[in-house]
Amino acid sequence: MPPNTTASTGQQPGKSGRKKGRRARLFVLVLVLAVLAGVTGGAYWSISTVRASFPQTKGSITLDGLSGPVDVKRDGYGIPQIYASSDEDLFMAQGYVQAQDRFYEMDVRRHMTSGRLSEMFGKSQVDNDEFLRTLGWDRIAEQEYDKTLSASTKKYLQAYAKGVNAYLAGKGSKDISLEYAALGFTNDYKPQKWTPVDSIAWLKAMAWDLRGNMQDEIDRALMTSRLGPKEIADLYPQYPYSRNKAIVQTGRYDELTKAFQPGGSASTAGSSTGSANGSTGASTGTASGPSGSGTASLQSQLSGLQKVLDGLPTAVGVNGNGIGSNSWVVAGKHTITGKPLLANDPHLSASLPSVWYQMGLHCRSVSSTCQFDVSGYTFAGMPGVIIGHNQNISWGMTNSGVDVTDLYLEKLSGDGYLLDGKTVPFKTREETIAVAGGTSKKIVVRETNNGPLLSDRSSELVKVGKKATVDTAAPDRGDGYGISLRWTALDPGTSMDAVFAMDKAANWNDFRAAAALFDVPSQNLVYADTKDHIGYTLPGKIPTRAKGYDGSVPAPGWDSRSRWTGYIDEDELPYEYDPARGYIVTANQAVVDKDKYPYTLTTDWGYGARSQRITDLIQSKIDGGGKISTEDMRQMQLDNSSEIAKLLVPKLLKIDIEDEDVREAQELLEGWDYTQDADSAAAAYFNSVWRNILKLAFGNKLPKELRVKGQCLYVDPVNTTGPADEAENVRECGEREAEQAQPDGGDRWFEVVRVLMDDDDSDWWSTPKSGTRPGATDRDQLFKRAMIDARWELTAKLGKDIDTWSWGRLHRLFLKNQTLGTAGPGFLQYVLNRGPWKLSGGEGTVNATGWNAAGGYGVVWVPSMRMVVNLGDLDKSKWINLTGASGHAYNAHYTDQTDKWADGELLDWSFSDDAVTKSTSDTLVLKP
C-alpha cells in the first residue's frame, strides 16, 4: 500500500542555505553587478560594446587558407547559404560564419564538454567540472580523432577549425561578443584557438542528454525506500503495443537466418550494409537489481548521484528527462505532389540562442573535389548538417531511447574494487581544474572495468557508501560502495563520419551505410528521397546483456556476469523500407513489438501518445480519400489535442460538485474539444486538475528524493504502515529540482492513470484530509478533491474571474541566455533574455511544449525547430528555428523567428541556386 501523507508548508530545515537551485548554480558571475550598476557603464554597453561584435555580412573579407573565393548569401533572417568550389573551402567558410554569429556559445559548449567551465566562470563551476572530467568526453573525442575517424572527416574538421580561428585572429573580447566584455570585468579570460576535438566533443554532450533510461533506472531504485515492487510496477506499466503502434510494424525476426526481415512492398531493398557492430547475446531476462546489495545502500548512493546530476548544465536536453521529438514521412501515393513529405521537430530544452543553426552548404559544381549540396540544421561548433536534405534525399531524427547506459554498484577497497572474488586495481588518472580568480584544483579519476566511478565526485556519496546497510549476501563493506557508469559514448566511435556520409548520401543504400556509422547517440532516422522511396532505420551501438539483466535497475559490479555481452549486429537492427501503408511515424514510441524481436532495446519507451495521435491524423486523411500537403504536415505539428483529457474529462463531468465556484470551473470542461490552445480557459483548468490528480494520487506518496525541493509533507516513517497521524509521522521535504521532479505528467503517467481507471478502490486513489479540503478513499473522491484544489490554485494564480483564465497565462516560455542570462545580475539578464511567450500545446501532445506537472506549468522543453521537406519541389520546403541565426543580443536576428515559431508559422526554405538568389538580402565574399 502506498504510504500515507499529509501536506505541510515551509522550507526544508537546514537545506535552503546549503544548496542553491540548479539555475543559481549555473555560471554564476560574481562582482559584475557592481561594475554594471552605473548609468555610464550601461550607456557604454548599449552603444559600443553591443554593436562591436555584430558580423560583417556584406562586402568582402580576405581569409588566409582559402583556395578560392566563397560566397556567403544571407536571407532576410540572416540564414547563411555558403557557395564554394572545394570541400575544404566550404567547411572553412562554415567555421568562419558560425563563429561570426555564435562563437561565445561555441566557446561555452567546448568548456562544458571538456570540464573547463571554471576557467570562464570561476569556482562556482568546480563541482560540475569534476563530474565532467570524470566522464572524460574530451579524452574520448581525442581518441576518436586519433584512431577511429576517416581521413576525409579529419580534413573537414581541420578546415572548419581553420575558419573559426580565422575569425578570432586579431579580435579583442568586445569584438567577439557582449558576454566576453562582461567576463572581462572579473576575469582575464581570453578565448583559445578552436581545435577539431572541440567539434567532436559536442557529440558527446548531445549523447549525454539523449542517453536513454538512466534517469528511470535511478528513480526506480530510489522508489524502493517507500514503495514495494507492486507499487513500482504500477508506476511503470507495460507499453500498450495493441493501442499505440510501434515504429516498425511489418518486421519479423527470422531465427533461421538470424536477421531482421522487414516486410512491406520493397523489403528486399533493405539489405544491410556496413560491418557488424559486435557480438550478440539475447537479453531476454527480467529486471534484476544488485544481488544482495541492499536497498538502503543503493537508495543512499543514488540519492547522492541525483543531486550531482541536478546541478549539471544541459547540452540539448533537460538532463536526460522529457526528451522527445516527432518525425514522420509520408510516401508520394498519399501526398498532393506525388512525392514524399518529411516532417521533423526535435523536442529539446529551450535555449537562447537556439541549439540549432540553419544553413546551406553548396558546392558550385558537385564533383570529387567538392561533394556537398546540403541544407538544414546543424550545431554551432560542428561542421556539416545534422538534419535536413540534399539534392536527392531528406532525413529526420528522433531520440530512440534505447538503453545504452547501465549503473553498477561497486564494492570498493583501498586497493581497488571487487570482481569475481578478487580485488582489481583501479585505472586512475589525475586532472587539474583551472579556476578563474582562484586556485587550481587537482582530482583523481578512478575507473573500474565498467567505467568511471561517478560516486567519487560527491563527498556525500562517499559518506553514505561507508555507512550503507547491506544484506549479508553482499560483499563486506570495507571502505564502502561506489557507483560506476557503463555508457557506449565512453568508447571511441564514428558518429562524426556519419554526419558527412549522410550529407552526401544519394539513395537508401548510401543512407543506410551512413547511418551504420552513427553509433552514439542512437537515434530513430526517417528517410525520403526524390525517387519516391521512404524508410526508417535504427542505428547505434546497442548493448546486449546476459539473462537476468535488462538494464532497468543498477547491476552488481562485483559479478562479471552482469557485464554487457556484446552489441547487436548492424544487420539485426530494425528498419523499414517502403512499407505498404505508405507512411512511417517516430515519436519516441517502441521501435518494434517485443514479440517480433529477440533483443531488449530498452524497458523504458515513451508510451506512444504522440506517435499514435500523428498516426491517427495521417490515417484519417487517407481514409477520407484526401491527399496530404505541406500545410497538412504543418498543421499536424501544431496539434494540441490532449489524449489524457479525452480519458478524464467524461469522468470529471459526472462528479457532483456542491461548491458553486468549483462547479463554475467544472462547467468550463463541458463541450471542450480537448484542444490546448493558449487562449483556452478549459485547458488551463483541466491541466490544473491533472496536476493535482497526480500530486494527490502519486506525488505525495513518492520518496523525498523524487519530489520538488522545498515541498514538505508529513509521512509515515519508512517501513511502517497505518493511518496518517501527524503526531507519529515525520516531516520530509522534497529534494529534486522542479524541472526534474516526479510525477512529471508525461505519457507514462497517462498510461499509469489509464490502467488504474477501472480500479475505483485502488490504494493510489486514497489521500488524507488537509485543512478544510476533503480526503478521499476512491477514484471519484480523489478527482473531486483535485477539482477543488485546482479551482483555488488557479484563483490564486489567475484570479477568481474564470473569464480571464487562459492556458497561455500559465504556460509561458522564457528564453534565457544559458550563461550570464541565467544567473547573472539583473542588468545582464535584461540585456540577454527575452520573453515570455504564451504557448499552446502541452505534455504528451504533438505540439510538445513540455511542462513538469510536479514543478509547475512553465514551459520546460519545446519543439526546438520545425521543418517540412517537400521531395517533389525542395524549394517549397518549410522551416523555422526557435530563436534566430545570431547569438548577439540586439542583433536583428537574435530572436526574429520566435514570434512566428510561437504562432506555428514556417518560413520558406530556399535550396536551388535561383531560389537562394531571389531570397538573398546580404552577400559576403570570402577571398583567399
Side-chain angles (χ1 to χ4, degrees):
M1 176 177 179
N4 289 313
T5 56
T6 55
S8 172
T9 58
Q11 297 295 315
Q12 186 174 7
K15 288 287 185 79
S16 60
R18 191 174 74 184
K19 187 177 181 184
K20 299 177 182 178
R22 181 168 69 93
R23 285 188 174 134
R25 292 197 304 271
L26 297 182
F27 311 115
V28 176
L29 184 67
V30 295
L31 301 181
V32 176
L33 180 59
V35 177
L36 298 180
V39 175
T40 303
Y44 168 76
W45 272 47
S46 64
I47 296 172
S48 176
T49 307
V50 170
R51 294 182 179 177
S53 58
F54 287 3
Q56 178 181 340
T57 59
K58 296 180 179 180
S60 63
I61 297 174
T62 300
L63 295 187
D64 290 339
L66 287 176
S67 63
V70 177
D71 295 329
V72 181
K73 300 181 178 182
R74 293 180 184 258
D75 66 10
Y77 289 89
I79 300 170
Q81 305 282 342
I82 300 176
Y83 291 84
S85 298
S86 73
D87 291 336
E88 290 91 335
D89 284 356
L90 191 65
F91 292 117
M92 183 178 177
Q94 183 182 16
Y96 184 88
V97 170
Q98 287 191 336
Q100 279 187 305
D101 286 332
R102 301 275 194 97
F103 182 77
Y104 177 76
E105 174 196 5
M106 293 162 57
D107 199 17
V108 170
R109 283 180 176 173
R110 68 167 165 175
H111 279 77
M112 180 183 70
T113 58
S114 59
R116 294 166 46 220
L117 290 168
S118 300
E119 293 179 12
M120 295 184 75
F121 304 105
K123 65 181 181 180
S124 67
Q125 293 305 301
V126 169
D127 288 347
N128 284 333
D129 283 348
E130 288 187 18
F131 189 83
L132 294 167
R133 293 285 184 97
T134 299
L135 291 175
W137 292 340
D138 60 332
R139 294 176 60 255
I140 306 302
E142 288 177 4
Q143 293 176 34
E144 289 186 1
Y145 185 76
D146 292 338
K147 299 178 181 179
T148 66
L149 296 181
S150 68
S152 60
T153 293
K154 292 181 182 179
K155 181 173 64 176
Y156 303 151
L157 288 165
Q158 291 164 359
Y160 181 90
K162 187 189 299 183
V164 175
N165 293 327
Y167 166 77
L168 293 176
K171 287 185 171 61
S173 293
K174 74 181 183 67
D175 299 320
I176 299 174
S177 82
L178 180 154
E179 290 93 334
Y180 287 121
L183 285 174
F185 288 117
T186 59
N187 187 353
D188 61 358
Y189 172 81
K190 294 290 187 288
Q192 298 174 343
K193 288 186 176 181
W194 194 263
T195 72
V197 171
D198 294 332
S199 294
I200 301 168
W202 175 238
L203 280 172
K204 300 300 177 185
M206 183 176 75
W208 174 253
D209 280 354
L210 303 177
R211 62 191 178 270
N213 76 334
M214 182 172 156
Q215 189 64 61
D216 289 310
E217 194 173 336
I218 292 172
D219 287 355
R220 270 190 294 266
L222 291 173
M223 286 178 185
T224 59
S225 67
R226 288 209 164 268
L227 303 177
K230 169 65 167 62
E231 286 76 29
I232 294 174
D234 286 345
L235 303 186
Y236 289 89
Q238 294 294 310
Y239 183 89
Y241 289 98
S242 61
R243 187 176 68 253
N244 295 342
K245 301 299 183 184
I247 297 171
V248 177
Q249 299 179 24
T250 57
R252 64 183 178 84
Y253 191 85
D254 189 331
E255 290 291 349
L256 295 177
T257 62
K258 288 290 183 183
F260 191 78
Q261 302 289 341
S265 60
S267 62
T268 57
S271 60
S272 176
T273 57
S275 60
N277 207 12
S279 61
T280 64
S283 177
T284 57
T286 57
S288 175
S291 175
S293 64
T295 298
S297 173
L298 191 60
Q299 194 272 346
S300 299
Q301 290 281 5
L302 292 175
S303 174
L305 174 58
Q306 180 61 49
K307 292 174 183 178
V308 175
L309 296 178
D310 270 351
L312 287 179
T314 59
V316 296
V318 191
N319 280 342
N321 270 349
I323 301 303
S325 294
N326 302 321
S327 189
W328 67 95
V329 60
V330 181
K333 66 181 180 180
H334 297 313
T335 70
I336 288 176
T337 65
K339 292 292 178 69
L341 296 171
L342 186 150
N344 196 188
D345 56 288
H347 308 154
L348 303 172
S349 290
S351 60
L352 180 60
S354 167
V355 68
W356 297 110
Y357 186 94
Q358 298 155 285
M359 71 187 320
L361 300 171
H362 308 279
C363 290
R364 293 190 178 95
S365 178
V366 177
S367 66
S368 60
T369 58
C370 198
Q371 305 171 71
F372 296 87
D373 189 14
V374 62
S375 183
Y377 297 84
T378 188
F379 301 124
M382 183 185 298
V385 166
I386 306 298
I387 295 174
H389 71 83
N390 59 30
Q391 68 271 40
N392 297 306
I393 74 165
S394 178
W395 66 97
M397 295 186 186
T398 64
N399 193 27
S400 70
V402 299
D403 187 1
V404 297
T405 60
D406 277 354
L407 293 172
Y408 286 87
L409 192 65
E410 303 280 4
K411 167 64 183 74
L412 309 181
S413 70
D415 299 322
Y417 60 98
L418 191 68
L419 180 62
D420 293 336
K422 297 180 180 180
T423 298
V424 179
F426 297 107
K427 181 180 178 181
T428 64
R429 68 179 187 273
E430 187 175 84
E431 300 269 357
T432 300
I433 299 172
V435 182
T439 303
S440 296
K441 181 176 182 179
K442 291 185 178 181
I443 64 170
V444 175
V445 177
R446 300 189 295 176
E447 295 185 7
T448 72
N449 64 327
N450 292 310
L453 274 173
L454 304 186
S455 48
D456 279 354
R457 300 285 72 87
S458 168
S459 58
E460 181 176 357
L461 281 177
V462 174
K463 185 188 305 180
V464 299
K466 290 182 178 180
K467 295 181 177 180
T469 301
V470 296
D471 298 336
T472 56
D476 291 338
R477 178 180 292 107
D479 290 335
Y481 296 86
I483 295 174
S484 65
L485 171 69
R486 180 77 174 99
W487 178 33
T488 54
L490 297 184
D491 298 326
T494 55
S495 292
M496 199 72 239
D497 284 338
V499 171
F500 298 114
M502 284 191 288
D503 287 355
K504 294 186 290 185
N507 52 47
W508 171 246
N509 286 334
D510 287 352
F511 183 74
R512 283 269 291 163
L517 299 170
F518 203 90
D519 46 15
V520 177
S522 177
Q523 297 286 285
N524 296 311
L525 299 180
V526 294
Y527 167 92
D529 63 36
T530 56
K531 303 296 185 183
D532 196 20
H533 297 295
I534 65 172
Y536 161 85
T537 189
L538 175 70
K541 193 175 182 181
I542 302 172
T544 56
R545 298 168 177 88
K547 185 176 182 180
Y549 300 97
D550 63 4
S552 63
V553 293
W558 51 81
D559 187 344
S560 62
R561 292 172 297 181
S562 68
R563 298 202 73 201
W564 293 353
T565 58
Y567 302 96
I568 302 175
D569 284 343
E570 176 206 327
D571 59 4
E572 295 180 281
L573 290 170
Y575 64 93
E576 214 169 25
Y577 186 74
D578 286 343
R581 65 185 180 278
Y583 59 86
I584 301 170
V585 176
T586 85
N588 318 112
Q589 78 271 38
V591 169
V592 65
D593 193 306
K594 60 183 175 61
D595 296 329
K596 297 180 180 180
Y597 197 63
Y599 301 109
T600 299
L601 295 172
T602 185
T603 59
D604 295 297
W605 300 117
Y607 281 76
R610 282 180 288 110
S611 63
Q612 194 56 43
R613 175 62 177 173
I614 296 166
T615 297
D616 291 344
L617 290 170
I618 295 171
Q619 193 62 52
S620 65
K621 188 78 172 182
I622 294 171
D623 292 344
K627 297 287 187 178
I628 295 173
S629 67
T630 300
E631 175 62 15
D632 291 329
M633 300 284 273
R634 183 188 74 88
Q635 291 288 352
M636 291 177 193
Q637 288 180 324
L638 302 179
D639 183 79
N640 294 319
S641 178
S642 171
E643 297 305 299
I644 192 61
K646 294 175 184 177
L647 176 69
L648 293 183
V649 167
K651 303 289 186 183
L652 298 176
L653 289 174
K654 292 179 180 179
I655 293 175
D656 185 25
I657 301 291
E658 299 85 10
D659 186 295
E660 292 183 1
D661 291 313
V662 180
R663 189 164 63 250
E664 181 186 31
Q666 181 188 36
E667 289 170 354
L668 289 172
L669 304 179
E670 295 178 357
W672 179 44
D673 64 358
Y674 314 121
T675 299
Q676 300 171 102
D677 293 332
D679 60 0
S680 171
Y685 181 59
F686 171 77
N687 282 316
S688 182
V689 173
W690 170 237
R691 178 176 186 241
N692 280 280
I693 287 173
L694 291 172
K695 177 182 177 182
L696 295 168
F698 311 106
N700 289 349
K701 297 160 189 172
L702 295 176
K704 62 182 182 298
E705 292 86 2
L706 275 70
R707 300 200 315 267
V708 175
K709 181 182 295 185
Q711 292 184 3
C712 302
L713 303 168
Y714 285 98
V715 301
D716 293 339
V718 176
N719 298 326
T720 67
T721 59
D725 184 345
E726 293 190 13
E728 298 178 357
N729 292 352
V730 296
R731 188 171 184 261
E732 284 188 351
C733 299
E735 297 180 353
R736 187 167 291 188
E737 301 296 335
E739 292 180 357
Q740 309 292 326
Q742 292 291 339
D744 61 23
D747 66 355
R748 172 165 68 88
W749 293 99
F750 291 11
E751 193 65 19
V752 168
V753 171
R754 185 187 299 277
V755 171
L756 291 171
M757 280 292 285
D758 293 333
D759 187 359
D760 294 354
D761 299 320
S762 167
D763 289 335
W764 290 109
W765 301 130
S766 298
T767 193
K769 179 181 179 181
S770 178
T772 60
R773 307 283 172 87
T777 59
D778 61 30
R779 184 197 67 196
D780 286 352
Q781 288 178 6
L782 186 137
F783 282 8
K784 181 177 181 178
R785 164 70 180 275
M787 295 171 74
I788 294 169
D789 288 357
R791 173 35 157 148
W792 298 116
E793 180 188 8
L794 293 197
T795 297
K797 293 180 181 295
L798 303 179
K800 188 173 182 179
D801 184 359
I802 64 173
D803 291 336
T804 67
W805 290 3
S806 70
W807 177 225
R809 288 181 62 194
L810 292 172
H811 193 54
R812 299 186 299 169
L813 170 67
F814 291 86
L815 289 176
K816 294 188 176 183
N817 178 287
Q818 294 301 289
T819 58
L820 308 182
T822 302
F827 173 82
L828 270 180
Q829 293 193 31
Y830 176 80
V831 169
L832 297 173
N833 297 341
R834 301 291 182 269
W837 285 266
K838 298 176 181 179
L839 297 187
S840 301
E843 183 64 41
T845 302
V846 179
N847 185 19
T849 54
W851 54 288
N852 186 301
Y857 302 98
V859 177
V860 177
W861 57 87
V862 294
S864 54
M865 61 81 159
R866 298 186 183 102
M867 74 175 195
V868 179
V869 179
N870 183 333
L871 277 300
D873 185 345
L874 292 169
D875 286 329
K876 292 184 179 178
S877 301
K878 303 285 186 178
W879 63 352
I880 196 79
N881 204 354
L882 173 63
T883 60
S886 180
H888 300 290
Y890 294 108
N891 183 279
H893 306 305
Y894 190 50
T895 56
D896 58 338
Q897 297 184 50
T898 308
D899 285 345
K900 291 183 180 295
W901 173 92
D903 291 339
E905 298 180 37
L906 297 175
L907 305 177
D908 292 336
W909 183 354
S910 300
F911 179 71
S912 70
D913 291 351
D914 288 344
V916 169
T917 297
K918 290 178 181 177
S919 64
T920 296
S921 295
D922 295 348
T923 299
L924 174 68
V925 179
L926 303 177
K927 296 181 177 181

